[in-house]
Amino acid sequence: MEQSENIQETQEVLQEERPVISLKNINIYQRNILVLPQVNMSVRKGEFVYLIGKTGSGKSSILKTLIAEVPAEGEEAYINGYDLLKLKKRDIPQLRKSLGVVFQDYQLLSDMTVLDNLMYVLRATRWKDKLAMGNRCEEVLDMVGLATKDFRYPYQLSGGEQQRVCIARALLNKPEILLADEPTGNLDPITSEEIFKIFHDINKNSGTTVLMATHNFSMIDKFASRTICIENGKLIDSVL
């Protein structure tokens, strides 16, 4: 009995140590042009990792590969248990449902209120219980400090508030991994700091893994964490 329990504990530890994102010798493309050859990168559960590099270096292309917007090509590509090299088109929506994605451009539906924007996503991801849907919207809006803005339209919100809505939207399905592509690219320094703090609070409080592509170096200095830099077509990891 004791041996069985030890085996189970060992398996749990191994599962915990296994990366939730793993790329091995993966070629990263941008509009069918190879921008990063043989990329190797891994992120473990609960980590907060910055992905930095010059504009056009391939940061966004890596994220697009991880959400299966750009096909993966190479030796190994896993995210949250999904094998990107073998992923069928019909399974892509389920993959994306397991992830949270925040873009630089907010991509909110302008003719819908904040609440309706969130409800739209829940319906699209097959939530049925209206009470549960409303409660989840309230939860995520409270997490980003927008509990009183649910009936506002996007045009009635500041840029920082719109980005908070996008973060709330990304959290709706309780993703294990949150991917962010230049989430403060259009924001002033004070608002950028608020947004960075929200991401770090989410990581700290819920254990959500965060991979953020950014060039906001002042915020990286203020909210220090593991950093992977793309330089001359290679990934340089701060932990190495």
Side-chain angles (χ1 to χ4, degrees):
M1 186 70 169
E2 184 179 345
Q3 184 179 4
S4 176
E5 290 176 353
N6 289 338
I7 291 173
Q8 184 177 351
E9 288 176 4
T10 302
Q11 289 174 335
E12 288 174 355
V13 169
L14 289 173
Q15 182 69 28
E16 189 72 21
E17 291 179 349
R18 189 173 296 146
V20 292
I21 298 174
S22 178
L23 301 179
K24 291 184 180 178
N25 296 321
I26 292 296
N27 293 326
I28 302 295
Y29 290 87
Q30 189 177 85
R31 297 191 183 95
N32 297 320
I33 298 172
L34 180 64
V35 290
L36 289 171
Q38 296 186 313
V39 166
N40 291 282
M41 182 180 80
S42 68
V43 178
R44 297 199 176 277
K45 184 177 180 180
E47 275 197 291
F48 193 113
V49 180
Y50 293 118
L51 185 60
I52 65 173
K54 295 178 180 178
T55 300
S57 61
K59 302 187 301 296
S60 295
S61 296
I62 288 177
L63 297 187
K64 287 178 180 178
T65 301
L66 293 175
I67 63 173
E69 185 175 324
V70 174
E73 177 189 287
E75 183 180 332
E76 180 180 294
Y78 284 96
I79 181 167
N80 206 23
Y82 288 85
D83 185 343
L84 295 173
L85 298 178
K86 297 178 180 178
L87 190 68
K88 296 186 183 337
K89 185 173 284 189
R90 66 171 181 266
D91 295 324
I92 292 176
Q94 194 62 30
L95 162 68
R96 292 177 181 171
K97 183 180 177 181
S98 77
L99 308 173
V101 186
V102 179
F103 301 98
Q104 178 177 341
D105 49 337
Y106 315 124
Q107 299 186 10
L108 295 171
L109 299 169
S110 60
D111 60 342
M112 290 186 180
T113 64
V114 167
L115 179 60
D116 287 338
N117 266 274
L118 300 184
M119 293 289 277
Y120 178 85
V121 172
L122 291 179
R123 286 193 296 271
T125 51
R126 299 184 178 179
W127 285 57
K128 302 295 184 184
D129 187 326
K130 288 186 178 181
L131 180 59
M133 293 165 71
N135 289 339
R136 184 56 184 160
C137 290
E138 287 182 13
E139 287 174 4
V140 294
L141 287 174
D142 188 56
M143 289 172 69
V144 300
L146 285 182
T148 62
K149 301 289 179 82
D150 52 347
F151 288 103
R152 297 285 183 92
Y153 286 87
Y155 68 84
Q156 296 174 312
L157 303 175
S158 67
E161 288 172 332
Q162 290 186 61
Q163 191 59 289
R164 286 171 186 252
V165 176
C166 295
I167 298 171
R169 181 180 60 191
L171 295 172
L172 282 170
N173 287 301
K174 299 182 180 180
E176 294 186 33
I177 302 172
L178 194 57
L179 304 175
D181 191 4
E182 299 286 4
T184 60
N186 296 323
L187 304 176
D188 62 81
I190 294 175
T191 306
S192 294
E193 183 172 346
E194 293 171 351
I195 296 299
F196 265 72
K197 185 178 186 306
I198 288 173
F199 275 105
H200 278 273
D201 285 346
I202 291 167
N203 171 254
K204 180 180 177 181
N205 296 332
S206 66
T208 304
T209 306
V210 179
L211 176 62
M212 179 190 293
T214 182
H215 62 262
N216 196 329
F217 296 106
S218 62
M219 290 299 108
I220 292 174
D221 289 339
K222 190 162 289 191
F223 297 94
S225 193
R226 177 185 168 198
T227 302
I228 298 174
C229 177
I230 302 174
E231 191 172 313
N232 298 322
K234 297 185 180 300
L235 272 62
I236 303 170
D237 198 323
S238 66
V239 300
L240 300 178

